[in-house]
Amino acid sequence: MDQYVVGIDFGTLSGRALVVRVADGTEVGTAVHSYRHGVIEETLPATGQPLPPDWALQDPNDYRDVLRHAVPDALTGAGIRPEQVVGIGIDFTASTVLPTLADGTPLCEVSDLRDRPHAYVKLWKHHAAQPHADRINALAHERREAWIGRYGGKISAEWEFAKALQLLEEDPEVYRRAERWIEAADWIVWQLCGVETRNVCTAGYKGIYQDGRYPSRDYLTMLNPDFADFVTKLDHPLSTLGSRAGGLTAEAAAWTGLRPGTAVAVGNVDAHVTAAAANALAPGRMVLVMGTSTCHVVNGTTLAEVPGMCGVVDGGISAGAWGYEAGQSGVGDIFGWYVDHAAPPGYASHEVLTEQAAQLPVGAHGLVALDWWNGNRSLLVNHELSGLIVGLTLATRPADIYRALLESTAFGTRLIIEAFEQAGVAVDELTVAGGLMSNALLMQIYADVTRRPLGLAGSAQGPALGAAIHAAVAAGCYHDVASAAEVMGRVTRDQYVPDEARAKVYDELYAEYRALHDYLGRGGNDVLLRLRKVRNAAQVRS
Amino acid sequence: MDQYVVGIDFGTLSGRALVVRVADGTEVGTAVHSYRHGVIEETLPATGQPLPPDWALQDPNDYRDVLRHAVPDALTGAGIRPEQVVGIGIDFTASTVLPTLADGTPLCEVSDLRDRPHAYVKLWKHHAAQPHADRINALAHERREAWIGRYGGKISAEWEFAKALQLLEEDPEVYRRAERWIEAADWIVWQLCGVETRNVCTAGYKGIYQDGRYPSRDYLTMLNPDFADFVTKLDHPLSTLGSRAGGLTAEAAAWTGLRPGTAVAVGNVDAHVTAAAANALAPGRMVLVMGTSTCHVVNGTTLAEVPGMCGVVDGGISAGAWGYEAGQSGVGDIFGWYVDHAAPPGYASHEVLTEQAAQLPVGAHGLVALDWWNGNRSLLVNHELSGLIVGLTLATRPADIYRALLESTAFGTRLIIEAFEQAGVAVDELTVAGGLMSNALLMQIYADVTRRPLGLAGSAQGPALGAAIHAAVAAGCYHDVASAAEVMGRVTRDQYVPDEARAKVYDELYAEYRALHDYLGRGGNDVLLRLRKVRNAAQVRS
């Protein structure tokens, strides 16, 4: 009787369950369930009250509904019996974080708090804590906190501490009643097995856990005296990735149709599990999860501090290595913007534009773009930056612009790779996962621009497969994640190799990209920041 | 019996005749005739031989066809008798120039030269003489020629000397056989009255005639020894604008249907006659002829050298004043590019975009563009520059971009105005003529950005009316052009007045425009020039 595992990928708008055969990683069934409330950005459903700008909440019960619907549906589709399933694993967006009671009850499910926006899940893209992040960063640099270097010098407004500080200062009562402040990744595992666990990945990348501790009480007191004991809401032993969090509770077994006691893996993050899914855990093999944005993860053999990276965490991708993460905040989003809002009639199609762009010799469009349509969270870590295109002429055509946009994101990745290499973290080859990997032109551009061989993840469901691999390890089917990934992971290496002639021309364009990047992103000319201020002031006046 | 004059405007693709009543400037009839050969850019019609890149020729007989068709048609439409027409005047694109025999026969009409591209008219936008212009400029600065300052420090590749030097070096035989090298403006007058004349306007702006002389034999010898005597092909007494060139020949009378002996005014240039048509000859009243590009002309009371201006000529707009000219090489062309090649479905319309753009508060789009889609012929005088847009985000929409493009051209005009004012040439108000004057949003933006009251020329046929005004003066109906313009010219002053609140926000955006202008146009970062080189190299390889 074949053994199976279930991986569940909790995304921004829906959750996907994937049933995978332990012996060889074959995917035998999958199902998606959309969150009923989606992303809560305009008004709080419970009361209809409007939310301030830049807020993004979720309702945690929507995550339970994924367990109730997607998992049974995937099992049905796979045509297997519950007793064949030996483990269940999850991955989640991050930092997606919520306040709960000591028993894991979300505060938004406590009756007198249902009308409080701060009692809900703050989704990763809740961006209203920027002022709090700014203070966190300023104080960290002032006090020369050792941990700040582990995050490229900047803590994001998206992460646990910034969101918690906003909670404290905007709704102190909800803050006080929050006995736990927990990543949704860990919370859903808690729902599955009835036991609170905390995984090293989110604790390290999103929770500023470094060298065995969170930021100090002294530091937190200086941020706000009432924030002094914040860490008590987080503190808990951390679990390595792929370890067993517990067994499925009777309640969760009823939701999912699986057997009580089925092994549940500790929580994990979408991009990070994808490295396992693509069997790219070896140092120097960088995984790019390319969708609306790109997340870059790569294991390294030594600890280094890389300017602008999102973070480095011991065992953050897999045990026994330093896991590095970096990101680009706009990639597919920019191409989508062009198609949806900027492409002329007849060109509003990625296929048409790609086909025409592929005909252009490198550099023939005469353009360079900076890929900052959604700010920059790479080396500059500034959400107020914006994009640009230079070199426009009366002869510029849609495919020229589209190609320049594709290239600009490749230049952004090259800049990240160079920052890693300068810090001593090798990046020898690229493995791409995510929706954009199907664009052959884009893939070839990345290979040429970075002068790296580029492989493709073999599964279209990278994160869910990665979660399933971790489930297999948690179930004891494999000794560790690396050996499970060897068997269950899927990748085609060297699918694209760099062409030296094209790479040489790209060197010229990249030099222009880098010069503009530094001029406009590092204080040479703060025009983009001033334009944002003018824009915001104009929008307020109107 | 009312007296009438005929103005003929020779444009890039067609010629227009306009019949105007002398007593009050009323326009009573008009007709257009398209040039049979249009702009000759790809192949020479006589032989089919391909032309090199950047060439733009015309066939001079197409100009005669305008006399043969448009003039009689306009007279018919006006319903007046030939004896009521007392004068005829023309304006022409410039520098549009041709080689002729001593009797005015175009070399391309000499039988053994019909197959020689260099024997034809070189249209203003023939841009293949850039290397020759570069040498003309370098040598002028090296020798500290006094005249170079009168042209903002740069002679254009479009002008008489650059085009003639190209002719000499690429087809010495045609150069040798060219007894005259003459602006089409003067040539068509020669066709009308049988007498060679040369007008002060084209001689000054396009022929480097300053302080009573052309560039010296010494200077020309250093350019090329065979160019030493070039000025003999130009030399001729110059005629002031509005003076009588002669009387209509019997042949031209037959072409036009007018009476032999009818007064013919000396030649003139489209933008310059428009100042008379808009009755804007007083110092400080700048006329902007806004179409695909913009030409700025303004009379000044004193001689000044303004960086980047096209030229200053004594009596170049009207006798008794220093006529200043400046220009922007891409204006309506850029808006047209956006509508034709960059606007999404539903937005490919100036009307739709303008209506939506008009709803935006100033600065709300967060964008700044540099209006260099067609290079820069204003302060920088560099055709290799290209355009850019900064501040793009995922929220940027078509009307945002369109408005930023409109504004960028207004910023370009403000830069020109400031250069004039810094040099002591007053610019107190603006008068707009040309096709773009019907865009109320654009006009208001110009008033706000420049903080100047803005009036509109009253005639939709500004150049042809201006030519007609000069005809009236040549016919002796008015003492001078200024008094004819007072009666026959048409303008609505102060149609748009600046709004201080908007002007203040524009000050902020303009400061960004200027900083980027200087950084990218004055050597801070030559990325645009390098991108052009990369582009050209890529296009050659492909």
Side-chain angles (χ1 to χ4, degrees):
Chain A
M1 189 181 83
D2 279 340
Q3 290 183 320
Y4 293 89
V5 282
V6 177
I8 314 175
D9 169 44
F10 289 88
T12 298
L13 294 169
S14 64
R16 170 186 295 276
L18 181 71
V19 184
V20 180
R21 187 155 62 197
V22 169
D24 59 3
T26 301
E27 301 170 12
V28 296
T30 187
V32 175
H33 183 78
S34 292
Y35 304 147
R36 181 148 69 98
H37 300 92
V39 180
I40 301 168
E41 292 172 304
E42 306 293 333
T43 56
L44 197 68
T47 62
Q49 72 178 104
L51 296 173
D54 298 326
W55 276 58
L57 305 181
Q58 290 196 319
D59 186 323
N61 198 46
D62 289 348
Y63 306 145
R64 290 193 198 99
D65 281 344
V66 173
L67 304 180
R68 293 184 186 109
H69 299 285
V71 177
D73 289 353
L75 290 168
T76 303
I80 59 164
R81 297 187 306 280
E83 55 269 32
Q84 291 180 276
V85 177
V86 297
I88 182 166
I90 69 100
D91 68 272
F92 225 106
T93 62
S95 174
T96 294
V97 63
L98 66 158
T100 71
L101 300 178
D103 66 357
T105 305
L107 291 196
C108 62
E109 296 180 359
V110 174
S111 57
D112 67 318
L113 297 178
R114 287 201 67 77
D115 61 346
R116 305 282 270 269
H118 273 294
Y120 285 76
V121 178
K122 288 192 169 69
L123 184 62
W124 64 275
K125 67 177 185 173
H126 173 95
H127 282 143
Q130 188 63 55
H132 310 88
D134 292 344
R135 286 161 50 208
I136 285 169
N137 288 314
L139 182 64
H141 286 287
E142 192 184 312
R143 290 173 44 100
R144 300 173 194 279
E145 296 288 344
W147 44 262
I148 191 73
R150 300 282 173 89
Y151 302 97
K154 286 214 189 173
I155 299 302
S156 167
E158 292 182 4
W159 297 351
E160 293 177 18
F161 277 66
K163 282 170 170 161
L165 186 57
Q166 186 197 9
L167 164 59
L168 164 67
E169 298 185 346
E170 296 184 2
D171 195 340
E173 191 200 344
V174 169
Y175 176 82
R176 190 178 48 73
R177 291 178 62 181
E179 293 170 294
R180 311 301 290 156
W181 182 245
I182 188 164
E183 286 284 332
D186 291 328
W187 179 82
I188 196 72
V189 168
W190 197 346
Q191 298 296 299
L192 285 165
C193 65
V195 183
E196 178 180 357
T197 55
R198 302 260 172 166
N199 74 82
V200 294
C201 178
T202 50
Y205 290 110
K206 313 302 175 187
I208 324 187
Y209 184 89
Q210 289 287 350
D211 299 328
R213 57 192 163 273
Y214 289 103
S216 69
R217 199 172 191 285
D218 267 11
Y219 167 81
L220 297 173
T221 306
M222 284 182 71
L223 273 179
N224 184 327
D226 295 332
F227 206 48
D229 294 319
F230 169 61
V231 167
T232 61
K233 299 179 196 290
L234 304 176
D235 217 15
H236 193 278
L238 300 188
S239 304
T240 56
L241 301 176
S243 62
R244 186 178 186 277
L248 207 60
T249 64
E251 186 182 27
W255 293 337
T256 55
L258 297 174
R259 289 193 308 176
T262 303
V264 178
V266 300
N268 210 327
V269 173
D270 41 14
H272 299 69
V273 296
T274 302
N279 186 23
L281 297 172
R285 293 176 61 181
M286 176 178 269
V287 174
L288 286 69
V289 184
M290 297 181 63
T292 55
S293 60
T294 292
C295 186
H296 311 69
V297 293
V298 60
N299 270 327
T301 50
T302 54
L303 172 63
E305 296 189 352
V306 184
M309 69 175 172
C310 302
V312 51
V313 171
D314 188 3
I317 298 169
S318 60
W322 289 94
Y324 291 87
E325 181 188 348
Q328 288 174 265
S329 46
V331 182
D333 260 356
I334 302 177
F335 315 149
W337 169 87
Y338 186 73
V339 165
D340 293 341
H341 299 295
Y347 293 91
S349 145
H350 292 290
E351 292 69 28
V352 168
L353 287 164
T354 298
E355 191 187 324
Q356 291 200 12
Q359 309 304 316
L360 299 171
V362 178
H365 52 42
L367 302 172
V368 164
L370 286 188
D371 52 327
W372 299 347
W373 266 247
N374 202 20
N376 176 298
R377 78 166 184 225
S378 304
L379 275 62
L380 305 171
V381 198
N382 191 329
H383 287 289
E384 312 264 282
L385 292 171
S386 49
L388 55 138
I389 307 176
V390 309
L392 295 158
T393 76
L394 297 177
T396 302
R397 292 295 174 267
D400 296 326
I401 294 175
Y402 189 75
R403 183 167 182 133
L405 295 178
L406 300 184
E407 291 167 350
S408 72
T409 67
F411 296 145
T413 284
R414 177 165 168 181
L415 212 53
I416 288 169
I417 291 172
E418 290 185 356
F420 275 115
E421 296 236 307
Q422 276 158 28
V425 180
V427 179
D428 303 319
E429 62 174 274
L430 309 181
T431 304
V432 176
L436 294 182
M437 72 184 187
S438 60
N439 185 320
L441 171 64
L442 184 67
M443 296 300 99
Q444 187 63 56
I445 288 171
Y446 271 62
D448 291 338
V449 165
T450 65
R451 276 200 177 78
R452 258 82 178 173
L454 185 152
L456 300 183
S459 170
Q461 310 303 339
L465 174 59
I469 288 172
H470 285 77
V473 177
C477 304
Y478 292 95
H479 175 65
D480 57 23
V481 177
S483 28
E486 282 283 347
V487 177
M488 298 175 69
R490 293 273 176 276
V491 64
T492 312
R493 293 174 78 173
D494 301 336
Q495 186 95 358
Y496 298 90
V497 293
D499 171 84
E500 181 56 24
R502 288 194 296 263
K504 273 195 173 138
V505 185
Y506 278 132
D507 284 343
E508 295 183 65
L509 299 179
Y510 174 68
E512 306 300 349
Y513 175 93
R514 198 168 47 184
L516 290 169
H517 173 283
D518 290 352
Y519 176 68
L520 295 166
R522 292 188 156 137
N525 182 348
D526 285 337
V527 52
L528 302 177
L529 306 182
R530 289 189 298 266
L531 284 175
R532 181 63 60 105
K533 283 209 177 73
V534 169
R535 184 193 83 168
N536 293 347
Q539 290 179 347
V540 165
R541 275 196 309 273
S542 76
Chain B
M1 187 182 78
D2 279 337
Q3 290 184 320
Y4 293 88
V5 281
V6 177
I8 313 174
D9 169 45
F10 289 88
T12 299
L13 295 169
S14 64
R16 170 185 296 277
L18 181 72
V19 184
V20 179
R21 187 155 59 199
V22 170
D24 59 4
T26 301
E27 301 170 13
V28 297
T30 188
V32 176
H33 183 79
S34 292
Y35 303 147
R36 181 148 69 98
H37 300 92
V39 180
I40 301 168
E41 293 173 301
E42 306 294 333
T43 55
L44 198 68
T47 63
Q49 72 177 103
L51 297 172
D54 298 325
W55 276 58
L57 305 180
Q58 290 196 319
D59 186 323
N61 197 46
D62 289 347
Y63 307 145
R64 291 193 198 98
D65 281 343
V66 173
L67 304 180
R68 293 183 185 108
H69 298 286
V71 177
D73 289 353
L75 290 168
T76 304
I80 60 165
R81 297 186 306 280
E83 53 270 32
Q84 291 179 274
V85 176
V86 296
I88 184 166
I90 68 99
D91 68 271
F92 225 105
T93 62
S95 173
T96 294
V97 63
L98 65 158
T100 71
L101 300 177
D103 66 357
T105 304
L107 291 196
C108 61
E109 296 180 359
V110 174
S111 58
D112 66 320
L113 297 177
R114 287 200 67 77
D115 59 348
R116 305 283 269 267
H118 274 293
Y120 286 76
V121 178
K122 288 192 170 69
L123 184 62
W124 63 275
K125 68 177 183 173
H126 174 95
H127 282 143
Q130 189 63 54
H132 311 88
D134 292 344
R135 284 162 51 207
I136 286 169
N137 288 315
L139 183 63
H141 286 287
E142 191 184 312
R143 291 174 43 101
R144 299 171 195 279
E145 295 289 342
W147 45 262
I148 192 72
R150 301 283 174 88
Y151 302 98
K154 287 216 188 172
I155 300 301
S156 166
E158 291 182 4
W159 298 351
E160 293 176 17
F161 277 67
K163 282 169 170 162
L165 186 56
Q166 186 198 8
L167 164 60
L168 164 66
E169 298 185 346
E170 296 183 0
D171 195 340
E173 192 200 342
V174 170
Y175 176 83
R176 190 178 48 73
R177 291 177 63 179
E179 293 170 295
R180 311 302 290 156
W181 181 245
I182 189 164
E183 285 285 332
D186 291 328
W187 178 81
I188 196 71
V189 167
W190 196 347
Q191 298 297 298
L192 284 165
C193 66
V195 183
E196 178 180 357
T197 55
R198 303 261 173 165
N199 73 82
V200 293
C201 178
T202 49
Y205 290 109
K206 314 301 176 187
I208 324 186
Y209 185 90
Q210 289 287 349
D211 300 327
R213 59 192 161 275
Y214 289 103
S216 69
R217 199 172 190 283
D218 266 11
Y219 167 82
L220 297 173
T221 305
M222 285 182 71
L223 274 179
N224 185 326
D226 295 333
F227 206 48
D229 294 320
F230 169 60
V231 166
T232 61
K233 299 179 195 291
L234 304 175
D235 217 17
H236 194 279
L238 299 187
S239 305
T240 57
L241 301 177
S243 62
R244 186 178 186 277
L248 208 59
T249 63
E251 186 182 25
W255 292 338
T256 56
L258 298 174
R259 289 193 308 175
T262 303
V264 178
V266 299
N268 210 328
V269 174
D270 43 14
H272 299 69
V273 295
T274 302
N279 186 24
L281 297 172
R285 293 177 59 181
M286 176 179 268
V287 174
L288 285 70
V289 183
M290 296 180 64
T292 54
S293 61
T294 292
C295 186
H296 311 69
V297 293
V298 60
N299 270 327
T301 51
T302 54
L303 173 63
E305 296 189 353
V306 184
M309 69 176 174
C310 302
V312 51
V313 171
D314 188 5
I317 298 169
S318 60
W322 290 94
Y324 291 87
E325 181 189 347
Q328 288 173 266
S329 45
V331 182
D333 259 356
I334 301 177
F335 315 149
W337 169 86
Y338 186 72
V339 164
D340 293 341
H341 299 294
Y347 293 90
S349 144
H350 291 290
E351 292 69 27
V352 168
L353 287 164
T354 298
E355 191 187 324
Q356 291 200 14
Q359 309 305 316
L360 299 171
V362 178
H365 52 42
L367 302 173
V368 164
L370 285 188
D371 53 325
W372 299 348
W373 266 246
N374 202 20
N376 176 298
R377 77 166 185 225
S378 304
L379 275 63
L380 304 171
V381 198
N382 190 330
H383 287 288
E384 311 264 282
L385 292 171
S386 49
L388 55 138
I389 308 176
V390 309
L392 296 158
T393 75
L394 296 176
T396 302
R397 293 294 173 268
D400 296 325
I401 294 174
Y402 189 74
R403 183 167 182 134
L405 296 178
L406 300 184
E407 290 168 351
S408 73
T409 68
F411 296 145
T413 283
R414 177 165 167 182
L415 212 52
I416 288 169
I417 291 172
E418 290 185 357
F420 275 115
E421 295 236 308
Q422 277 159 28
V425 180
V427 179
D428 303 320
E429 62 174 274
L430 309 181
T431 304
V432 176
L436 294 183
M437 73 183 187
S438 60
N439 185 320
L441 171 64
L442 185 67
M443 296 300 99
Q444 188 62 56
I445 288 171
Y446 272 62
D448 291 338
V449 165
T450 65
R451 276 199 175 77
R452 258 82 178 174
L454 185 152
L456 300 182
S459 171
Q461 310 302 341
L465 175 59
I469 288 171
H470 285 77
V473 177
C477 304
Y478 292 96
H479 175 65
D480 56 23
V481 177
S483 28
E486 282 282 347
V487 177
M488 298 175 69
R490 291 275 176 277
V491 66
T492 311
R493 293 174 77 173
D494 302 336
Q495 185 95 357
Y496 298 88
V497 292
D499 171 84
E500 182 56 24
R502 288 193 296 263
K504 274 195 173 139
V505 184
Y506 278 131
D507 283 343
E508 296 183 63
L509 297 179
Y510 174 67
E512 305 301 349
Y513 174 93
R514 198 168 45 185
L516 288 169
H517 173 282
D518 290 352
Y519 176 68
L520 294 166
R522 291 186 158 140
N525 181 349
D526 285 336
V527 53
L528 302 176
L529 306 181
R530 288 189 299 268
L531 284 175
R532 181 62 60 104
K533 283 209 178 73
V534 170
R535 185 193 82 169
N536 293 347
Q539 290 178 345
V540 166
R541 273 196 310 275
S542 74

